[in-house]
Amino acid sequence: MAKPFQYQPLNLLLFFFFLLFMVVVSIPDSDQLQSSQSHVLSEIQQLLNYPQVLSTWNQTTDFCNTEPNPSLTLVCYGGDLTQLHIISDNCWLPQTTMVPQSGFSSDSFFSTLSTLPSLKVLSLVCLGLWGPLPASIGRLSSLEILNMSSNHFSGPLPQELSSLSNLQTLILDHNNFTGRIPAWLVSLPLLAVLSLDNNSLSGLIPFSFTRMENLRVLSLSMNRLSGEVPDLQNLTNLQVLDVGYNELGPHFPKLLHTNLLILVLRKNKFSFGIPEEISSCYRLQQLDISFNGLTGPFLAQLLSLPSLSYLDISDNKFTGVLYENTSCNAILAFVNLSSNYLTGELPRCLQSNSSTRVVQYSGNCLSQSSAQEQHPYSFCRIEEALAVKITPHERERKSIKRSVLASSSVGGIFGGIALCVVLFLGMRKVYAKQTVKTPQATLIVEKVPPAYTMKMLSDARYISETMKFGGLGLPPYRTFSLEELKEATSNFSSLNFIGEGSQGKVYKGILTDGTLVAIRSLKMRKRHGIQSYRHQIELISRLRHRHLVSFVGHSFECYPDDSSVSTIFLVQEFVPNGTLRSCISEVVSGHKCTWTQRIAAAIGVARGIQFLHTGIVPGVFSNDLKITDVLLDHELHVKINNYNLPLLAENRIQVCSGAVHTGPKEQNRGTANGDKNDVYDMGVILLEIIVGRVIMCQSSITIAKDLLQVSLTTDDDVARRSIVDPAIHKECSDESLKNVMEICVRCLSSEPTDRPTVEDVLWNLQFAAQVQDLWRVDSNSNQGSPFKSTE
């Protein structure tokens, strides 16, 4: 971890005013882009064929003070453009294009961009840019972050990229780059993130990567790479390695496991065992080694790794015995042990009736009867015996007999083993005949009519009676029929479609009693019966608090051929007045929020988080909360609209996060420090509340946090107020402002253990509100707050 910045007392005021200048120049109407650079942006608009996303640009556009949005963001400093983000609104279309199919020159385009001398961040995503990446890109000498994913660039990566000595992040995903991964990438001394997913790159991963000591993220999935992964044990900062969907192998990569958070080797040609050291990766959060030919005993210790939330070892050749009393960590949300040669009993912690996690284990030889099909015990014992002397490339199930006969020629002990194998095969045939003749009574039990199982789920045995009564002005929680929801949404009409994210599609609906609701549709990737969702529905029904967007019911849609769930509909209260961000950086009800209103909103958010952590059992942690997840109802109550629910994990497991403030919290997301991750998110929200502008990236968080830290060491309240949103800096008391700044800085500590508890945050915000009220009385100010933060 990087060492915190150390301030020298003699340079303190100088540094403070330097940071203050950086913030002041970014305040609207305080910065003007140089005319030559404005002309460059007009040329870019022309070269991109005047796309819709740039339709507001004209000769009078004040580029430095345009309102940022997900599609277009410009950042200026000292009259120079430093950041340019252009992202197509139609990124999900397979053939997105914004540029002419003929006459477009990528060389001219990047030559034009190179005339922006201070450009540090460049994002050109889903614009349909095509052709080879030209040598002129090497002229963007100030670049630190380059993201050109989801375009149509082709050909090899140009060596001129190696001249970008300041480059820290290079993302070229979802293009058509070909050739080998160049070894000269090692010449980028600061490179920390390298992502080349979903291209057509081939050949070996360069051996020179062993010297890229600053690398934190290496993502090369969905290419045509082959051969061994180089020894990466010297990469002490490496946290993410994703080389899935290639042809790499056969040996397991050599890694330093201390800092590893994510390891994805899915669908390659790894065929030997995995190192025992991986069972001591205490920070590992995701491990996917599925669809390889890995052999040897399964390391059951992986189930109890304290940070692991996702484990997939399916479609390998792991052997070994599982025991019912094997322990699992509490946050393990997804486990797939399918299609291996495991015997014994499924651990009790993975059984569906004792956990809310998703577990798959079919295609093994586990002893207990279950809905997930198992092979006979003899099948796995034969495979384990064959594994002693047959290489992974020779072990195919269709040629077991031929392999046994060949091995018998070795003689001696091996001949004895072969004889045992033949006996096992005979037993297997007998067992197979018996299996054909024996009726499978379990299928009858599984095919219970959906209507009956829905009735069981709504029964008082499964949902607490206290949840059947209305509270907080909400109707009682209940089970809806699918027909009711279709009627409420006009059969899920596109006119009622609100949006789609990692947690499913959302529709606006009106119930028969006139209640407005939001209906979230979750397509289930795995087939489970309704009963397997009982505990998760019970948890959802208990999430009722005035500062949470609460659920009022659910409905199931089942496959017609069996009773397993295909879609879950979650019915939530409808929250009509936009997000907390709109109240701070935009206008709500004709005015921006006052300082008193902002503190009240922050208190509401803190109380919502506190309820998620302690108001229910088990608590809900690591919610990846953003200010856009905080909604305002018709009375301008704040309500959190994003929870880390186990039921949603299956749907969002492979969806990339849209969060812009990843920061140091990500190192511990999903661990025992999950509560401190939410505190970090609270700190980012407080930061935006204070400065009154949109926080778009981690560097903005760092700069603003440093500015707050320095301002707290001075006694100059005028300088401190200069940091605050100009709309409210005259109406807040200095003591109230200092208190909110202090708790904000503590929330953003890089070390989770240095962050305050949610209770500490709540206490400090309440104190800041009291101080502000006293100051208002003394100042004869009677400005009220519409926010309600009482319990």
Side-chain angles (χ1 to χ4, degrees):
M1 181 174 294
K3 189 175 181 180
F5 186 89
Q6 299 294 323
Y7 300 104
Q8 298 296 327
L10 294 178
N11 298 325
L12 186 62
L13 290 179
L14 180 63
F15 180 74
F16 167 67
F17 286 112
F18 169 73
L19 287 176
L20 179 61
F21 176 73
M22 291 177 66
V23 172
V24 169
V25 296
S26 65
I27 295 176
D29 302 323
S30 64
D31 205 355
Q32 184 68 40
L33 191 65
Q34 296 179 18
S35 59
S36 60
Q37 297 188 31
S38 297
H39 180 68
V40 170
L41 292 178
S42 298
E43 286 188 43
I44 290 173
Q45 182 185 33
Q46 180 180 358
L47 290 169
L48 292 177
N49 197 29
Y50 299 95
Q52 180 64 33
V53 68
L54 305 182
S55 60
T56 59
W57 285 6
N58 54 54
Q59 293 181 347
T60 62
T61 300
D62 185 359
F63 291 104
C64 288
N65 296 307
T66 57
E67 188 69 24
N69 61 65
S71 298
L72 179 63
T73 299
L74 295 91
V75 178
C76 301
Y77 174 64
D80 289 327
L81 187 69
T82 59
Q83 296 188 34
L84 175 61
H85 306 260
I86 307 176
I87 302 174
S88 170
D89 291 330
N90 298 322
C91 193
W92 54 273
L93 293 175
Q95 297 296 329
T96 300
T97 181
M98 290 172 56
V99 300
Q101 292 300 303
S102 60
F104 173 76
S105 169
S106 59
D107 185 61
S108 298
F109 181 74
F110 284 98
S111 295
T112 303
L113 282 172
S114 67
T115 59
L116 299 172
S118 301
L119 192 63
K120 295 181 181 296
V121 181
L122 177 62
S123 297
L124 304 171
V125 179
C126 288
L127 304 187
L129 302 176
W130 55 274
L133 198 58
S136 55
I137 195 172
R139 301 180 202 164
L140 296 167
S141 56
S142 297
L143 272 187
E144 297 177 1
I145 298 175
L146 177 61
N147 180 4
M148 293 190 297
S149 56
S150 300
N151 285 289
H152 305 299
F153 289 114
S154 58
L157 299 180
Q159 188 167 357
E160 286 75 12
L161 280 171
S162 63
S163 62
L164 304 181
S165 58
N166 296 313
L167 200 62
Q168 300 174 26
T169 297
L170 177 61
I171 304 175
L172 302 175
D173 301 341
H174 296 271
N175 281 285
N176 301 314
F177 288 111
T178 56
R180 293 175 175 266
I181 298 176
W184 49 253
L185 285 169
V186 74
S187 64
L188 298 174
L190 304 179
L191 194 63
V193 176
L194 176 61
S195 187
L196 304 173
D197 293 342
N198 207 337
N199 282 282
S200 298
L201 299 167
S202 58
L204 303 173
I205 298 176
F207 178 78
S208 60
F209 278 22
T210 61
R211 304 196 305 274
M212 300 179 71
E213 296 182 359
N214 288 319
L215 206 58
R216 294 180 179 273
V217 176
L218 179 58
S219 191
L220 308 173
S221 66
M222 301 183 73
N223 281 284
R224 301 171 185 172
L225 303 175
S226 59
E228 300 283 9
V229 177
D231 188 339
L232 303 178
Q233 293 182 94
N234 290 332
L235 306 189
T236 56
N237 294 309
L238 190 65
Q239 297 177 343
V240 176
L241 177 64
D242 184 354
V243 293
Y245 296 92
N246 283 287
E247 298 178 5
L248 297 166
H251 290 90
F252 201 90
K254 294 181 179 180
L255 303 164
L256 182 67
H257 301 100
T258 308
N259 292 322
L260 203 59
L261 302 180
I262 296 175
L263 178 59
V264 179
L265 307 179
R266 181 182 177 89
K267 210 163 188 180
N268 277 278
K269 294 185 176 180
F270 298 107
S271 57
F272 291 100
I274 61 176
E276 290 189 7
E277 291 82 1
I278 201 168
S279 62
S280 61
C281 283
Y282 295 114
R283 301 180 64 187
L284 191 64
Q285 300 172 8
Q286 177 181 343
L287 177 62
D288 188 346
I289 54 178
S290 59
F291 290 93
N292 283 285
L294 292 164
T295 60
F298 167 60
L299 302 176
Q301 306 96 302
L302 293 173
L303 297 172
S304 59
L305 283 179
S307 304
L308 197 67
S309 61
Y310 184 101
L311 175 63
D312 191 345
I313 67 163
S314 61
D315 288 270
N316 282 288
K317 301 175 182 180
F318 289 117
T319 58
V321 181
L322 296 182
Y323 297 96
E324 191 175 15
N325 60 355
T326 300
S327 61
C328 308
N329 82 62
I331 65 166
L332 195 57
F334 180 89
V335 180
N336 192 348
L337 309 177
S338 304
S339 300
N340 283 284
Y341 305 133
L342 303 175
T343 59
E345 298 182 354
L346 185 70
R348 188 179 298 108
C349 60
L350 297 182
Q351 296 175 14
S352 60
N353 62 353
S354 62
S355 172
T356 57
R357 58 176 58 99
V358 176
V359 179
Q360 296 292 315
Y361 53 90
S362 62
N364 287 286
C365 302
L366 300 175
S367 60
Q368 70 270 26
S369 59
S370 66
Q372 300 192 29
E373 182 181 357
Q374 301 294 307
H375 294 294
Y377 174 79
S378 58
F379 175 82
C380 294
R381 295 304 296 168
I382 292 172
E383 295 293 342
E384 186 171 2
L386 292 174
V388 174
K389 59 184 180 303
I390 300 177
T391 63
H393 301 291
E394 297 170 335
R395 290 172 53 200
E396 298 181 1
R397 295 179 186 176
K398 295 182 180 180
S399 61
I400 290 178
K401 292 184 179 180
R402 184 168 63 249
S403 299
V404 171
L405 292 174
S407 66
S408 64
S409 63
V410 177
I413 298 176
F414 292 103
I417 295 176
L419 180 60
C420 293
V421 169
V422 174
L423 291 175
F424 277 131
L425 286 172
M427 294 173 61
R428 182 182 175 190
K429 289 182 179 179
V430 173
Y431 185 93
K433 292 179 180 179
Q434 293 177 348
T435 305
V436 172
K437 297 177 181 179
T438 304
Q440 297 186 11
T442 55
L443 294 178
I444 299 174
V445 177
E446 293 170 34
K447 291 185 178 291
V448 178
Y452 180 74
T453 50
M454 287 182 187
K455 180 180 182 300
M456 290 177 61
L457 189 57
S458 63
D459 192 87
R461 290 177 297 166
Y462 298 126
I463 298 180
S464 171
E465 284 294 338
T466 57
M467 292 298 107
K468 290 185 176 289
F469 299 98
L472 306 175
L474 297 173
Y477 188 95
R478 69 183 181 91
T479 301
F480 290 87
S481 68
L482 185 56
E483 288 69 28
E484 286 180 279
L485 301 188
K486 287 181 177 180
E487 181 181 352
T489 60
S490 300
N491 199 21
F492 297 100
S493 166
S494 59
L495 297 176
N496 290 320
F497 181 72
I498 298 175
E500 181 176 10
S502 62
Q503 298 180 2
K505 295 181 178 180
V506 183
Y507 296 84
K508 181 179 178 181
I510 304 178
L511 302 180
T512 53
D513 62 358
T515 303
L516 282 174
V517 292
I519 302 172
R520 192 179 300 276
S521 170
L522 304 174
K523 293 287 186 183
M524 296 293 102
R525 292 192 179 94
K526 306 293 183 181
R527 291 200 176 198
H528 297 287
I530 290 177
Q531 288 296 324
S532 65
Y533 294 108
R534 173 171 58 86
H535 292 285
Q536 301 185 49
I537 291 297
E538 184 177 358
L539 171 64
I540 288 172
S541 70
R542 299 203 309 268
L543 285 169
R544 291 204 164 190
H545 189 271
R546 70 173 62 250
H547 294 302
L548 300 181
V549 178
S550 302
F551 296 88
V552 297
H554 70 274
S555 179
F556 292 112
E557 182 178 20
C558 295
Y559 290 101
D561 56 333
D562 60 20
S563 62
S564 58
V565 176
S566 62
T567 307
I568 296 179
F569 299 94
L570 298 179
V571 185
Q572 297 174 280
E573 60 176 317
F574 185 78
V575 185
N577 277 333
T579 69
L580 179 57
R581 171 174 285 172
S582 66
C583 179
I584 293 171
S585 60
E586 301 169 9
V587 174
V588 172
S589 301
H591 68 282
K592 291 182 73 173
C593 295
T594 65
W595 178 244
T596 302
Q597 293 167 354
R598 297 184 193 204
I599 298 178
I603 291 173
V605 174
R607 282 182 169 153
I609 295 174
Q610 183 185 43
F611 178 81
L612 288 173
H613 290 183
T614 62
I616 54 175
V617 178
V620 181
F621 302 94
S622 290
N623 293 284
D624 197 19
L625 181 63
K626 300 179 287 295
I627 195 168
T628 50
D629 296 320
V630 181
L631 307 183
L632 306 175
D633 68 6
H634 62 284
E635 294 180 355
L636 297 185
H637 291 115
V638 291
K639 290 178 176 286
I640 299 173
N641 188 40
N642 185 41
Y643 322 129
N644 186 18
L645 294 177
L647 181 60
L648 304 177
E650 179 181 335
N651 270 57
R652 66 183 178 188
I653 202 74
Q654 297 187 12
V655 177
C656 294
S657 173
V660 294
H661 52 84
T662 54
K665 64 170 183 167
E666 293 296 336
Q667 298 174 4
N668 293 290
R669 179 160 298 285
T671 69
N673 287 321
D675 56 339
K676 296 304 180 74
N677 291 332
D678 289 335
V679 170
Y680 183 92
D681 293 335
M682 182 74 195
V684 179
I685 292 174
L686 289 175
L687 202 59
E688 195 159 325
I689 284 175
I690 294 168
V691 301
R693 66 178 186 279
V694 175
I695 301 293
M696 293 297 293
C697 60
Q698 181 61 34
S699 60
S700 299
I701 297 174
T702 303
I703 291 174
K705 173 193 170 186
D706 289 343
L707 182 58
L708 262 61
Q709 280 183 312
V710 176
S711 72
L712 290 170
T713 63
T714 70
D715 293 326
D716 189 352
D717 64 331
V718 176
R720 188 159 38 248
R721 289 174 188 272
S722 300
I723 305 170
V724 181
D725 184 356
I728 52 95
H729 74 278
K730 293 182 179 179
E731 64 183 51
C732 53
S733 77
D734 188 57
E735 187 175 1
S736 175
L737 176 61
K738 282 178 64 177
N739 197 269
V740 176
M741 283 184 171
E742 286 172 353
I743 197 64
C744 173
V745 170
R746 289 175 59 200
C747 288
L748 295 174
S749 297
S750 58
E751 284 291 342
T753 53
D754 294 336
R755 298 171 197 162
T757 64
V758 176
E759 288 71 22
D760 288 338
V761 175
L762 184 57
W763 188 93
N764 280 274
L765 291 174
Q766 289 172 328
F767 178 77
Q770 293 173 358
V771 171
Q772 177 66 15
D773 286 340
L774 292 174
W775 181 83
R776 285 174 54 216
V777 171
D778 293 340
S779 303
N780 296 319
S781 174
N782 294 314
Q783 192 168 22
S785 170
F787 290 108
K788 308 297 181 182
S789 60
T790 56
E791 293 294 347

